[in-house]
Amino acid sequence: MSLELQCPVPQFDFDHINMGHGSGGILTHKLLKSGVFDVLKNPLLDQQHDGAILELKGKIAISTDSYVVSPIFFPGGNIGDLAINGTVNDLAMCGASARYLTLSFILEEGLAMTEFKDVLMSIRQAADQSGVQIVTGDTKVVQKGKGDKIFINTTGVGELHPTADIRHQRVEHGDVILLSGPIAAHGVAIMSLREGLEFETTVCSDTQSLKAPVLALLDSLGQDVHFLRDATRGGLASVLNELSEITVKGIHIHQKDLAIAEEVSGACEMLGLDPLYVANEGVFVAVVKAHRAEEALKVLQSFEACHSASIIGEIIADHPGKVVMKSKIGGSRVVNFLQGEQLPRIC
Amino acid sequence: MSLELQCPVPQFDFDHINMGHGSGGILTHKLLKSGVFDVLKNPLLDQQHDGAILELKGKIAISTDSYVVSPIFFPGGNIGDLAINGTVNDLAMCGASARYLTLSFILEEGLAMTEFKDVLMSIRQAADQSGVQIVTGDTKVVQKGKGDKIFINTTGVGELHPTADIRHQRVEHGDVILLSGPIAAHGVAIMSLREGLEFETTVCSDTQSLKAPVLALLDSLGQDVHFLRDATRGGLASVLNELSEITVKGIHIHQKDLAIAEEVSGACEMLGLDPLYVANEGVFVAVVKAHRAEEALKVLQSFEACHSASIIGEIIADHPGKVVMKSKIGGSRVVNFLQGEQLPRIC
C-alpha cells in the first residue's frame, strides 16, 4: 500500500482535543474547518448540513459498526482505516457495493491532534481505495477517563448487486464453503502489541477492503453465491457456528485447507489463542453452489486481497446446527461457539 | 406520553454488562437474543445479518449522530429516546421523512442491565412514535473507566419530501425566521441535574420528534420553505450564527418573540447560562418565504410539539454574516458564536 498521501494535511490550531471541541460552538466549528472538512472534502460533505442527500439506484443495503479497537494504532493499520474497511466489508457481505459512509467520532479530552490527524488521513485513504465518500458526520468529546482516545462509528449505504440474493435461507446441503484468505492476522497483531511480544516477523493486521473481490464473485456466479460473511469478532469459528445454528444444517470443514501464516500460527501458540476464534478484518466466508466452487475460487484468487483463498468445506445433512472439523491428523471434532471473553476491543 | 410499554420486557441472564458481551461470542449472542432483538423486533432486524436491505423511493437523506449525554437518565427522557429523536429530527431538517435507523452501542463494563433495558424500551417507544424501524446494529463493550455507561450512535435514512429543497443557498433577503417552540429546556434539565439544583417545577428536557410538524410544513409550503435546522448543541445562537456565516447574510431577531418557559428562564439565571446558547432537543428554526410566514406559523401551532411556535425575525441585507438581536428594552446587540466550552455532553 502506498504511503503517499493525496489529501491535504490538516492545520489544526491546537495540540490536543479539549471539551470545547465537542460543545457545538466556535471550537467545534474551528476543528471541522481546520482539518476534518479539508481531509474528507467532497461535494456532499461540503454542504455542511446535519445530513446528506443521496441518489441511489435499486435496492439499498445499510450497515453500521462502532470501532473501539485498542490500541488505536497497530501494525498494518489504525482505527481509521479499520472503521472504513469494516463497514465497506459488511455491506459487501450483504451483496452490496458501498457508496456512501457517515462518520461519527467520540473523542477523549486530551487526545493528541497529531493522532487525530493520522487517523483522519487513513480514513481518507481507505475511503478512496474503496471508492466511497464520507457524506456526513458528527464529533463529540468526552472527559478524560470517560472514553479511550477515539471511538469511531461508520454507517454505510450501498447499492445491492443486481443479481445478489445473499441470505442464510438459501444455504443448501452440498453447498461448498470458501475462505478468502489466511486467518487470525488481525487479532494476533493487536494482541502481540498489547502483550509487548516481538517476533522475527511483525504480524500485520489484515484490515483491507473486500468490496472488489465480492463484487467480482457476484458478477461471475450471480445467484449461485448463497451466503457471505466476514470473519471478524469471534473469528472463523463464530461465523460458521452462527450459520449452522440459524440454518439448522451441519458444517464440515477441513483443517488442512485453512490458510494461516506461519508467524501468526506461532504467535497464537505463544499467546494461547486458537486461531479459529481470532478476529480477522479482511477475510470472508462464501457459501456457493457446489458446481460453481472452482470458478469462485479462481475469481477470488485473481485479487491480491484473496490470493490464498481456498475451499474449506461443505454444508452437510449430518450434525444439524454443528460445525465439525476434520483435523490434519485425521480425527474429527466439534468446533463450538466462543465461550465468554476472549479478545476484547479487537475492532 | 403514555408509559404503557407495548414491547416485550427483555429477560437478561446477567445483572451487569461484562467484557464478554462485546466479544462476538456466546455472550454477545445471548445478550442480543435475550433482550435486544425482542425489544426492537421487526422483520428487517430479524434477518440478523450484518446489514439490512431496504427499499426507498426517490432521493434519500442520511444523517448520523453519536450520543454521549451525561447523566444518561434525566427529567423528560434518557439517552435512548434522545438518540432516536435526534436523528429523526436531523433528517427532518433535510426535508426528509425518517424511515430506517441503525443503532450502535458502546457499553461500559459494569453497566446495570436494568439501565440498559430501560434505555432499550425508550428506544423502541421513540422509534414507534416516529414510525421508524431499527434495521441493523452493533454492540461493543469497553472496560470500566474507558467509557461512561452507554454511548449510542444512530444513523437514519429517509425519503426526501417530494417538494423539499432545503439548502442555505436558498435563503433570501426578506425571508422570515420561525422558531418552533420555547428554548433552552433540554440543556437546563441536564445542568440542573448535574448541579443538584431543585426548582419548584422540575424542568423537563424537550426531547421529541419533529418529523410530523416538519412534513406538514413541507406539505403546505413546499419550496417556500428555504431552510430548516434544529437548535441542538450551542442552542439557537449557534444555528443562527452558522446560517448567517455560510449565507453571508444578516439575521435580525426580536428577543420579545423568543418563547422560553418561566422556570427555564429562572434556572438559566441561577446557573449563569444565556438561554440563547443552551441546547434544545425538540426545537427548530425554519426560514420561509415572507408571504407564507403566517401560514407556516398556523401549520406549526397545530401540532402539540410546536404549539408555542413564533415568528422571531428575518433575513436582512445589513450586517452580512452577523446575528443582531433587538432586546426587549429596545437596544440591539450582536449575538456571537459560542466561545469555548459551555455545556459538554448535553447530547
Side-chain angles (χ1 to χ4, degrees):
Chain A
M1 183 168 50
S2 160
L3 283 173
E4 281 177 73
L5 296 170
Q6 301 298 318
C7 42
V9 177
Q11 303 297 328
F12 295 120
D13 284 346
F14 301 86
D15 290 338
H16 296 89
I17 290 288
N18 67 48
M19 292 305 295
H21 288 121
S23 69
I26 201 157
L27 287 181
T28 305
H29 201 71
K30 272 194 177 175
L31 177 68
L32 295 175
K33 285 226 157 184
S34 69
V36 179
F37 285 142
D38 284 347
V39 175
L40 304 177
K41 195 166 183 56
N42 67 61
L44 284 162
L45 188 66
D46 294 350
Q47 284 286 321
Q48 296 178 32
H49 207 308
D50 271 347
I53 311 296
L54 314 174
E55 303 224 34
L56 287 159
K57 293 193 192 90
K59 286 191 181 173
I60 293 155
I62 186 164
S63 185
T64 191
D65 258 322
S66 285
Y67 298 84
V68 299
V69 64
S70 172
I72 60 171
F73 294 95
F74 46 81
N78 64 51
I79 193 171
D81 43 18
L82 191 74
I84 302 300
N85 293 335
T87 295
V88 166
N89 292 349
D90 280 345
L91 287 173
M93 299 307 129
C94 298
S97 170
R99 292 280 310 277
Y100 303 110
L101 257 58
T102 66
L103 175 67
S104 180
F105 292 108
I106 299 174
L107 306 176
E108 186 191 16
E109 182 186 19
L111 173 73
M113 283 291 184
T114 53
E115 293 192 309
F116 185 46
K117 184 193 77 179
D118 289 346
V119 168
L120 270 181
M121 306 285 262
S122 293
I123 285 172
R124 176 67 198 236
Q125 275 196 301
D128 286 349
Q129 280 166 10
S130 277
V132 297
Q133 288 185 347
I134 312 291
V135 291
T136 190
D138 180 44
T139 307
K140 294 282 168 29
V141 179
V142 295
Q143 296 90 343
K144 204 158 177 64
K146 299 291 183 184
D148 198 7
K149 291 195 169 187
I150 309 185
F151 300 145
I152 299 179
N153 178 281
T154 51
T155 302
V157 288
E159 289 158 348
L160 203 65
H161 189 282
T163 64
D165 187 10
I166 312 297
R167 287 177 292 129
H168 61 79
Q169 293 91 339
R170 298 196 62 235
V171 172
E172 298 166 6
H173 295 146
D175 279 359
V176 166
I177 305 168
L178 290 97
L179 180 68
S180 74
I183 60 171
H186 178 72
V188 165
I190 301 287
M191 289 307 284
S192 305
L193 198 60
R194 283 192 204 156
E195 304 293 325
L197 296 183
E198 285 188 27
F199 305 103
E200 274 182 39
T201 317
T202 301
V203 174
C204 284
S205 166
D206 62 345
T207 180
Q208 60 178 344
S209 173
L210 298 168
K211 179 176 169 176
V214 166
L215 294 179
L217 193 64
L218 290 166
D219 283 344
S220 295
L221 270 75
Q223 299 214 344
D224 288 338
V225 181
H226 291 167
F227 186 77
L228 298 166
R229 186 68 69 100
D230 51 346
T232 52
R233 274 188 296 179
L236 178 62
S238 299
V239 168
L240 297 179
N241 268 288
E242 282 169 16
L243 183 61
S244 65
E245 186 187 73
I246 204 164
T247 58
V248 202
K249 291 182 165 59
I251 288 181
H252 191 220
I253 60 169
H254 307 267
Q255 190 177 23
K256 70 171 174 48
D257 298 321
L258 305 179
I260 179 165
E262 205 174 323
E263 64 271 21
V264 172
S265 177
C268 280
E269 272 183 43
M270 281 190 61
L271 290 159
L273 300 173
D274 181 341
L276 284 175
Y277 296 92
V278 175
N280 310 280
E281 289 292 336
V283 172
F284 69 102
V285 163
V287 180
V288 305
K289 195 101 181 155
H291 74 278
R292 309 292 300 270
E294 287 297 333
E295 186 184 347
L297 187 63
K298 284 204 186 76
V299 170
L300 291 184
Q301 287 174 341
S302 72
F303 288 85
E304 174 66 24
C306 305
H307 71 275
S308 51
S310 58
I311 290 171
I312 62 162
E314 50 281 323
I315 305 296
I316 56 175
D318 292 343
H319 309 292
K322 298 277 177 211
V323 178
V324 178
M325 182 169 76
K326 189 167 181 185
S327 78
K328 284 180 184 167
I329 53 170
S332 283
R333 69 170 174 101
V334 171
V335 177
N336 285 312
F337 264 110
L338 175 62
Q339 301 293 321
E341 174 180 353
Q342 198 189 19
L343 297 176
R345 301 187 56 190
I346 211 72
C347 61
Chain B
M1 184 167 51
S2 160
L3 282 173
E4 282 177 72
L5 296 171
Q6 301 298 318
C7 42
V9 178
Q11 302 297 329
F12 293 121
D13 286 345
F14 301 85
D15 290 338
H16 295 91
I17 290 288
N18 67 48
M19 292 305 294
H21 289 121
S23 69
I26 201 158
L27 286 182
T28 305
H29 203 69
K30 271 194 179 177
L31 177 68
L32 295 176
K33 285 224 157 185
S34 71
V36 180
F37 285 143
D38 283 348
V39 176
L40 304 178
K41 195 165 183 60
N42 68 60
L44 284 161
L45 187 66
D46 294 351
Q47 284 286 323
Q48 295 179 31
H49 206 309
D50 271 346
I53 311 297
L54 314 174
E55 303 223 34
L56 287 160
K57 294 194 193 89
K59 284 191 182 174
I60 294 156
I62 186 165
S63 185
T64 192
D65 258 322
S66 285
Y67 297 84
V68 299
V69 64
S70 174
I72 59 172
F73 295 95
F74 45 82
N78 64 52
I79 193 171
D81 43 18
L82 190 75
I84 301 299
N85 292 336
T87 294
V88 165
N89 292 350
D90 280 345
L91 287 173
M93 299 308 129
C94 297
S97 170
R99 291 280 310 277
Y100 303 109
L101 257 57
T102 65
L103 175 67
S104 182
F105 292 108
I106 299 175
L107 306 176
E108 186 190 14
E109 182 186 18
L111 173 72
M113 281 293 184
T114 52
E115 292 193 309
F116 185 45
K117 184 193 77 180
D118 289 346
V119 169
L120 270 181
M121 306 284 263
S122 293
I123 285 172
R124 174 68 198 234
Q125 276 195 299
D128 287 350
Q129 279 166 11
S130 277
V132 297
Q133 289 186 345
I134 311 292
V135 292
T136 190
D138 181 44
T139 307
K140 295 283 168 28
V141 180
V142 295
Q143 296 89 343
K144 205 159 175 62
K146 299 292 183 185
D148 198 7
K149 292 195 168 186
I150 309 186
F151 300 145
I152 300 179
N153 177 282
T154 51
T155 302
V157 289
E159 290 158 347
L160 204 65
H161 189 282
T163 64
D165 187 10
I166 312 298
R167 286 177 294 128
H168 62 78
Q169 294 91 338
R170 299 197 61 235
V171 171
E172 298 166 7
H173 295 146
D175 279 359
V176 167
I177 305 169
L178 290 96
L179 180 67
S180 73
I183 59 170
H186 178 74
V188 165
I190 301 287
M191 289 307 283
S192 304
L193 197 61
R194 283 192 204 156
E195 304 292 325
L197 297 183
E198 286 187 28
F199 305 103
E200 274 181 39
T201 316
T202 302
V203 173
C204 284
S205 166
D206 62 345
T207 179
Q208 61 179 343
S209 173
L210 298 169
K211 180 176 168 176
V214 167
L215 294 179
L217 193 64
L218 291 166
D219 283 344
S220 295
L221 271 75
Q223 299 213 345
D224 287 339
V225 181
H226 291 168
F227 186 76
L228 298 167
R229 186 68 68 100
D230 50 348
T232 53
R233 274 188 296 179
L236 178 64
S238 298
V239 167
L240 297 179
N241 268 288
E242 283 169 16
L243 182 62
S244 65
E245 186 188 73
I246 204 164
T247 59
V248 202
K249 291 183 166 58
I251 288 181
H252 190 222
I253 59 170
H254 307 267
Q255 190 177 23
K256 70 172 173 48
D257 298 320
L258 304 179
I260 180 165
E262 205 174 320
E263 65 270 23
V264 172
S265 178
C268 279
E269 271 182 44
M270 281 190 58
L271 289 159
L273 300 173
D274 181 341
L276 283 175
Y277 296 92
V278 175
N280 310 280
E281 288 293 337
V283 172
F284 70 101
V285 162
V287 180
V288 305
K289 196 97 181 158
H291 74 279
R292 309 293 300 272
E294 287 297 335
E295 185 184 348
L297 187 63
K298 284 204 187 74
V299 171
L300 292 184
Q301 287 174 341
S302 72
F303 288 86
E304 173 66 25
C306 305
H307 71 275
S308 53
S310 57
I311 289 172
I312 63 162
E314 51 280 323
I315 305 294
I316 56 174
D318 291 344
H319 310 292
K322 299 275 178 213
V323 178
V324 178
M325 182 168 77
K326 189 167 181 185
S327 77
K328 284 179 183 167
I329 52 168
S332 283
R333 69 169 173 102
V334 171
V335 177
N336 284 312
F337 264 110
L338 176 61
Q339 301 294 321
E341 173 181 354
Q342 197 189 21
L343 298 176
R345 300 187 56 190
I346 210 75
C347 61

